Amino acid sequence: MSTSSNNLSTYDYIIVGAGSAGCVLANRLTEDPAVNVLLLENGGSDRSLFIQMPTALSIPMNTEKFAWQFETEPEPFLDNRRMHCPRGKVLGGSSSINGMVYVRGHARDFDEWQSHGAEGWSYAHCLPYFRKAETWAFGGDDYRGDSGPLGVNNGNEMKNPLYQAFVDAGVEAGYFSTDDYNGRQQEGFGPMHMTVKNGRRWSTANAYLRPAMTRPNLTVVTHALVHKVLLEEKIAVGIRYERKGNVQEVRAKREVILSAGSIGSPHLLQLSGIGPKAVLEEAGIAVQHELPGVGENLQDHLEFYFQFKCKQPITLNGKLNWFSKGLIGARWLLDRKGLGATNHFESCGFIRSKAGVEWPDLQYHFLPAAMRYDGRSAFDGHGFQVHIGHNKPKSRGWIRAKSANPSDNPEIQFNYLEHEVDREGFRDCVRLTREIINQPAFDPFRGDEIQPGNGVKTDAEIDAFVRSAVESAYHPSCSCRMGSDDLAVVDPETRVHGISRLRVVDSSIFPTIPNGNLNSPTIMVAEKAADIIRGKGSLSPSDAVVGMDESWLERQRSGSPERVAM
């Protein structure tokens, strides 16, 4: 597939990966009609009904056609379980297979980036690019954008009463309420936002790539398996890729940009001979440039489902029969409305696990159903659940090429829950969530606890439950981190250290993982990087105020003091 009959074998820019970052770059770089851009994607079309219909979100991420079905090595602190790690393999990348949850992260997450050597990536520097990217359904202000490509709203506006019950319960438990966790104040309970526009998944393929594909200076090639970056001495000069059994080489006059994601980008660097010497030699890859941080510092979010029976027949468990699904699908096809037009995560919460934690490290997604995220099993009866995770992990993992063959998936090891802080965070998740769900707001709805179950109370019982039940939230990141020290892979201009004309722009360059879902900050990174690449200069830093609990050292929530973090 190509958007152009242009048969160039040389382009100004070559972008690898048409995902959350690559689609943004393809759009922004081709705004300049004087440059030619080639966008390479291993997957194919995103036109599938299962991608475009928000409620069908569990299907594309579990379909080989649309997603790399990666698996980790046995995780030593999760009872040696192999964890599922799907990544987008389709136009739009992971923005075409994800849950469409729109969370920027806390302001302090980006200040943390700057403190880790990512100069110019503080919240004040990043906020203008969050605003540039989006059109917020309720209008723009100092925090929200009103003219960007990315449509953001609240789905069905919390029509199910369970959504509001969750928000009310959080407030009854002593936490803040927040009207807009992507605005002035993240901490608290309130409506959740999603990348849906006019009832349709608003991926970066829909928001950014499709408009750019009308331009004659963009060529999109799908079903392209990239083998390596072509290097001459320490200069990136092009890409070798395979399509339909034919191996081709294309040259870049200006730059090669890797936007293959937190698994794909470090793997491609290693396949190209850029990475830790021992890893490359073990894989049989000739070392072109030793860069020890490539594939290291890997981070992810974990979560589990806290499930309860529901005393009223108002949950999505009553909509899982084929007849009800057919009606939902038919209405969506007719007018893009109803239950087909939402991801069903319409209320949420961000809280701090204990006093002494400055900004939220726990995140809630509320779902008016009791079922697995992948849709494979559901509670037999009416139920609801809240997804809860500790979002500022200390554990670190790695990505390592197994061989020089680009068809061989890399080894992936997150070392989930290796650090005691992470294990303590999940103990807090269990105890704090029970307290919230047992508030009076849930009295009309709350039945028996399904999971973890009343028998899970002590630290040892909670730890055992978490090891067996926790799942990835599908947020791999930080494996080519930005900074200036010896283990940084790219500099604050997104350029690979020691290699000219080569950049990485995607979630792999995050220095640390933000408190929230990663699609929004990935898009922001690409927006900011596009200005850097084009030499336009960054947008002026924002002076918008960040809402914080001034008493965070003394208390865990707005209403009561708690123990201090160690």
Side-chain angles (χ1 to χ4, degrees):
M1 170 184 171
S2 174
T3 63
S4 171
S5 60
N6 193 333
N7 228 359
L8 290 174
S9 59
T10 301
Y11 298 82
D12 292 295
Y13 298 100
I14 300 173
I15 304 168
V16 178
S20 295
C23 289
V24 175
L25 291 172
N27 182 300
R28 295 306 189 189
L29 295 182
T30 57
E31 287 177 339
D32 180 354
V35 303
N36 285 291
V37 175
L38 172 65
L39 178 63
L40 297 171
E41 167 57 42
N42 185 268
S45 172
D46 64 328
R47 297 290 192 180
S48 169
L49 174 72
F50 298 123
I51 289 177
Q52 300 301 326
M53 183 191 295
T55 195
L57 62 93
S58 68
I59 296 175
M61 75 163 50
N62 292 287
T63 301
E64 177 68 32
K65 179 179 179 181
F66 301 130
W68 299 94
Q69 301 298 322
F70 293 123
E71 263 195 347
T72 70
E73 299 300 297
E75 289 290 345
F77 305 96
L78 293 184
D79 297 336
N80 287 317
R81 295 161 58 203
R82 290 183 181 269
M83 303 293 282
H84 187 213
C85 185
R87 297 285 83 204
K89 187 175 64 174
V90 63
L91 292 178
S94 292
S95 76
S96 288
I97 69 164
N98 68 2
M100 293 156 282
V101 174
Y102 182 82
V103 182
R104 293 174 174 178
H106 194 278
R108 290 290 185 266
D109 291 323
F110 306 102
D111 295 340
E112 183 178 69
W113 286 11
Q114 180 148 299
S115 74
H116 281 64
E119 188 65 35
W121 291 85
S122 70
Y123 178 66
H125 293 91
C126 292
L127 178 55
Y129 287 97
F130 281 119
R131 295 182 67 250
K132 179 181 180 180
E134 75 170 359
T135 292
W136 172 227
F138 301 102
D141 56 26
D142 288 346
Y143 304 91
R144 306 305 298 259
D146 59 6
S147 57
L150 196 67
V152 182
N153 63 26
N154 180 241
N156 280 336
E157 299 178 5
M158 295 171 47
K159 291 177 182 176
N160 190 306
L162 288 166
Y163 292 122
Q164 189 61 49
F166 180 65
V167 175
D168 293 342
V171 174
E172 288 172 346
Y175 297 98
F176 294 107
S177 65
T178 180
D179 291 334
D180 184 358
Y181 63 85
N182 285 311
R184 182 180 184 275
Q185 178 175 309
Q186 185 192 61
E187 186 171 359
F189 287 73
M192 183 160 253
H193 311 154
M194 63 188 74
T195 48
V196 172
K197 182 177 180 181
N198 297 327
R200 184 179 174 194
R201 175 193 289 272
W202 213 239
S203 65
T204 55
N206 285 331
Y208 286 90
L209 183 58
R210 204 141 276 121
M213 288 171 75
T214 63
R215 299 171 185 157
N217 58 337
L218 174 63
T219 300
V220 181
V221 177
T222 56
H223 306 294
L225 176 64
V226 174
H227 287 196
K228 63 191 297 187
V229 178
L230 300 175
L231 300 173
E232 292 180 357
E233 299 298 330
K234 301 284 186 176
I235 303 171
V237 297
I239 287 289
R240 179 180 297 159
Y241 72 95
E242 180 179 345
R243 187 172 190 269
K244 296 183 178 180
N246 297 316
V247 176
Q248 305 175 51
E249 292 186 354
V250 286
R251 310 279 288 190
K253 289 187 288 186
R254 298 194 185 188
E255 292 184 343
V256 173
I257 307 167
L258 301 185
S259 296
S262 289
I263 308 299
S265 287
H267 188 215
L268 277 173
L269 286 173
Q270 292 174 6
L271 289 173
S272 308
I274 303 169
K277 182 178 179 181
V279 171
L280 300 181
E281 290 178 343
E282 178 70 20
I285 299 170
V287 179
Q288 302 296 324
H289 178 62
E290 186 174 4
L291 198 56
V294 174
E296 301 299 312
N297 194 49
L298 179 65
Q299 298 167 47
D300 189 17
H301 290 146
L302 287 173
E303 65 179 15
F304 69 86
Y305 317 145
F306 222 118
Q307 297 180 326
F308 286 82
K309 294 180 182 179
C310 186
K311 294 190 292 188
Q312 296 188 34
I314 57 173
T315 74
L316 295 175
N317 290 73
K319 303 289 186 181
L320 299 179
N321 59 78
W322 288 109
F323 179 74
S324 295
K325 287 182 177 180
L327 290 178
I328 291 169
R331 180 173 181 191
W332 185 84
L333 288 170
L334 183 65
D335 62 11
R336 299 293 191 267
K337 294 181 179 178
L339 291 177
T342 175
N343 63 10
H344 306 293
F345 295 111
E346 296 185 19
S347 64
C348 64
F350 297 87
I351 66 174
R352 293 175 294 111
S353 58
K354 52 183 66 70
V357 173
E358 186 179 2
W359 69 92
D361 58 340
L362 306 184
Q363 178 183 5
Y364 290 104
H365 302 62
F366 183 82
L367 183 69
M371 65 178 69
R372 284 175 57 94
Y373 189 85
D374 60 15
R376 287 202 297 260
S377 62
F379 171 67
D380 186 13
H382 282 277
F384 59 85
Q385 70 191 36
V386 59
H387 297 217
I388 173 63
H390 177 249
N391 271 9
K392 297 298 289 183
K394 299 289 187 181
S395 303
R396 300 291 185 265
W398 42 259
I399 306 288
R400 293 175 184 166
K402 287 188 288 192
S403 76
N405 186 345
S407 296
D408 289 343
N409 288 343
E411 291 183 345
I412 304 169
Q413 184 89 72
F414 286 96
N415 290 316
Y416 293 119
L417 300 186
E418 178 183 25
H419 202 288
E420 174 62 21
V421 166
D422 303 347
R423 297 191 289 270
E424 174 66 24
F426 274 94
R427 294 173 201 143
D428 293 330
C429 286
V430 172
R431 294 185 172 116
L432 295 173
T433 305
R434 271 202 182 115
E435 182 185 5
I436 291 166
I437 301 299
N438 280 288
Q439 295 300 314
F442 270 114
D443 286 349
F445 311 108
R446 181 185 58 253
D448 294 337
E449 184 178 312
I450 302 169
Q451 180 179 290
N454 293 328
V456 178
K457 294 181 178 177
T458 68
D459 283 0
E461 290 165 344
I462 292 172
D463 288 351
F465 164 75
V466 169
R467 287 195 305 271
S468 66
V470 78
E471 298 181 4
S472 172
Y474 310 122
H475 301 159
S477 54
C478 310
S479 52
C480 293
R481 72 172 176 85
M482 181 169 22
S484 55
D485 61 277
D486 291 343
L487 288 176
V489 176
V490 302
D491 68 12
E493 303 283 297
T494 74
R495 299 170 298 199
V496 174
H497 286 297
I499 300 291
S500 298
R501 294 167 44 184
L502 179 62
R503 296 182 196 257
V504 181
V505 179
D506 55 33
S507 62
S508 71
I509 71 171
F510 296 1
T512 56
I513 193 167
N515 178 41
N517 308 64
L518 299 193
N519 191 47
S520 172
T522 302
I523 292 168
M524 177 276 294
V525 162
E527 284 276 18
K528 192 171 189 300
D531 275 0
I532 293 170
I533 293 166
R534 294 181 65 182
K536 295 180 64 176
S538 294
L539 297 176
S540 297
S542 169
D543 59 1
V545 174
V546 177
M548 304 285 290
D549 185 351
E550 295 180 356
S551 300
W552 62 270
L553 273 171
E554 294 81 29
R555 66 186 188 187
Q556 181 261 336
R557 65 193 83 179
S558 58
S560 62
E562 299 287 338
R563 69 190 188 282
V564 175
M566 302 301 291

